[in-house]
């Protein structure tokens, strides 16, 4: 099984990456393949809603030929895709938002009988981190993510929010345990 992690943090060794390390480590320990893409290091243009991608259901069809092309290829090759982002102003980072918006090119005919997706049947998961608590901070991301997974016809394998820790070097054992438990939850939900 292959896990693709999409890290949306501009801090490659920050809190989100540290929790992601734990989750990926558990996947590797269980004998699974793991690939991480730090989307903050990629050139991904924002979607311009030209709708060119809706002309075909057998390829992404986006007019932009930037690093998202390779990300899409990796998404299609994976069994589970884990979106990981810190919370910035009640949402994912701008870098992750560009990837999510460009994923619009992966499905066609939403809300119609011939709704199709290049990711149909694959599993999707969400990891978010923040300095505060979930309520009033991260719950909107969870709602949007559930809708996103429906549009892509993907199985939502789980969501984890880790809040109220200040830096990776101050990560409590409880957070490490939650990361390991989440990895096992994902493995059991695929």
């Amino acid at each position: 099984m292959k896990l693709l992690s999409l890290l949306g943090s501009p801090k490659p060794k920050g809190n989100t990456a540290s929790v992601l390390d734990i989750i990926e480590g558990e996947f590797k320990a269980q004998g699974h393949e793991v690939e991480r893409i730090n989307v903050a290091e990629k050139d991904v243009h924002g979607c311009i809603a030209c709708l060119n991608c809706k002309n075909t259901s057998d390829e992404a069809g986006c007019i932009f030929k930037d690093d998202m092309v390779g990300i899409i290829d990796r998404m299609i090759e994976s069994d589970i895709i884990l979106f990981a982002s810190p919370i910035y102003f009640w949402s994912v980072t701008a870098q992750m938002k560009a990837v999510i918006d460009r994923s619009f090119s992966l499905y066609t005919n939403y809300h119609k009988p011939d709704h199709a997706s290049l990711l149909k049947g694959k599993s999707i998961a969400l990891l978010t981190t923040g300095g505060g608590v979930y309520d009033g901070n991260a719950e909107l991301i969870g709602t949007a993510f559930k809708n996103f997974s429906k549009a892509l016809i993907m199985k939502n394998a789980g969501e984890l929010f880790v809040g109220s820790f200040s830096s990776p070097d101050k990560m409590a054992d409880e957070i490490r345990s939650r990361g390991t438990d989440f990895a096992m939850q994902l493995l059991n939900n695929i």
Side-chain angles (χ1 to χ4, degrees):
M1 176 179 320
K2 181 175 180 182
L3 167 71
L4 175 66
S5 301
L6 300 175
L7 176 61
S9 177
K11 298 177 182 178
K13 297 187 186 291
N15 293 347
T16 308
S18 297
V19 177
L20 189 56
D21 287 343
I22 294 165
I23 296 165
E24 291 172 339
E26 190 61 34
F27 266 76
K28 289 175 185 174
Q30 298 293 325
H32 300 286
E33 183 181 349
V34 174
E35 179 181 3
R36 180 187 295 187
I37 297 174
N38 187 340
V39 300
E41 296 173 352
K42 301 295 182 184
D43 177 28
V44 178
H45 299 289
C47 178
I48 60 170
C50 69
L51 302 179
N52 187 70
C53 62
K54 300 306 171 200
N55 293 328
T56 179
S57 62
D58 58 350
E59 65 179 358
C62 185
I63 62 167
F64 292 122
K65 303 303 177 209
D66 55 10
D67 291 339
M68 190 64 189
V69 174
I71 294 170
I72 286 172
D73 289 344
R74 295 301 178 279
M75 291 169 79
I76 292 169
E77 295 168 1
S78 299
D79 299 299
I80 181 167
I81 303 164
L82 175 56
F83 288 76
S85 178
I87 296 171
Y88 283 13
F89 294 96
W90 305 280
S91 188
V92 294
T93 63
Q95 295 89 345
M96 181 62 80
K97 184 68 167 91
V99 170
I100 289 171
D101 288 351
R102 290 282 297 284
S103 296
F104 180 68
S105 69
L106 294 169
Y107 65 91
T108 56
N109 301 316
Y110 191 47
H111 292 301
K112 295 180 181 175
D114 57 344
H115 181 193
S117 169
L118 296 174
L119 301 178
K120 182 178 181 177
K122 294 180 182 290
S123 294
I124 189 169
L126 176 66
L127 164 65
T128 52
T129 61
V133 296
Y134 183 82
D135 292 332
N137 190 29
E139 75 276 6
L140 295 175
I141 297 170
T143 300
F145 196 75
K146 284 178 180 70
N147 291 332
F148 177 58
S149 62
K150 285 179 194 173
L152 292 170
I153 317 175
M154 296 183 76
K155 179 182 177 186
N156 190 332
E159 299 173 26
L160 174 64
F161 169 74
V162 178
S164 303
F165 81 100
S166 58
S167 65
D169 61 329
K170 295 185 170 127
M171 186 185 302
D173 288 340
E174 182 265 338
I175 293 172
R176 292 178 201 287
S177 179
R178 288 180 63 206
T180 300
D181 291 347
F182 185 62
M184 295 309 297
Q185 173 190 332
L186 297 180
L187 286 165
N188 290 328
N189 283 332
I190 296 175

